[in-house]
Amino acid sequence: MIIADKAVLAGTARDASGPGWSSLRLLVKSDGMGFSMTETRVFPGAVLNLHYKNHVEACYCIGGRGTVVELESGTSHDITPGVLYAPNAHDRHEVHVAGPDPLHLICVFSPALQGDEVHGPDGSYASS
């Protein structure tokens, strides 16, 4: 049984952040589940240009409002609580925050993240 308490994980190597975002890694590769799960916040005013070349992800919104833009097509999707988005084909995408509150997401990555990754210059995480 794995028990992950965000109060215990906060401030550890599993508490990653970068310009405009923070991500608490609740499950990571060393947990042996084959996927990772994060609690991620994208802060107001942030625009994240992302391209997960080595992972697929699914993000479920539990708070805030934002937009995800598919960069190849320009298609824009509103993200609000209760909406999931999953760039399942390694889609290049941008995440924009709308409003005064952070976009609050629960994200799953496959393969699992190590736990301390931050985005590279191209918006990706390195291979796990």
Side-chain angles (χ1 to χ4, degrees):
M1 177 71 63
I2 298 168
I3 306 296
D5 183 339
K6 71 187 228 176
V8 173
L9 295 175
T12 71
R14 289 188 181 199
D15 196 357
S17 63
W21 63 274
S22 68
S23 183
L24 188 62
R25 279 59 191 284
L26 301 167
L27 286 174
V28 296
K29 186 175 185 177
S30 63
D31 292 319
M33 297 291 292
F35 62 90
S36 57
M37 179 177 284
T38 71
E39 180 179 7
T40 299
R41 286 180 172 80
V42 184
F43 301 115
V47 175
L48 304 184
N49 188 317
L50 304 171
H51 184 198
Y52 294 121
K53 298 182 287 187
N54 303 305
H55 300 84
V56 291
E57 71 165 337
C59 297
Y60 182 71
C61 181
I62 61 173
R65 295 183 308 109
T67 304
V68 172
V69 178
E70 298 177 53
L71 293 178
E72 297 301 319
S73 68
T75 303
S76 178
H77 308 277
D78 291 332
I79 306 300
T80 57
V83 173
L84 176 139
Y85 71 91
N88 61 322
H90 306 285
D91 306 301
R92 289 180 51 243
H93 61 289
E94 280 185 348
V95 178
H96 301 255
V97 177
D101 298 319
L103 186 60
H104 192 179
L105 305 165
I106 299 298
C107 305
V108 175
F109 285 87
S110 179
L113 300 177
Q114 298 287 338
D116 59 355
E117 293 91 341
V118 295
H119 300 107
D122 63 355
S124 71
Y125 291 138
S127 296
S128 294

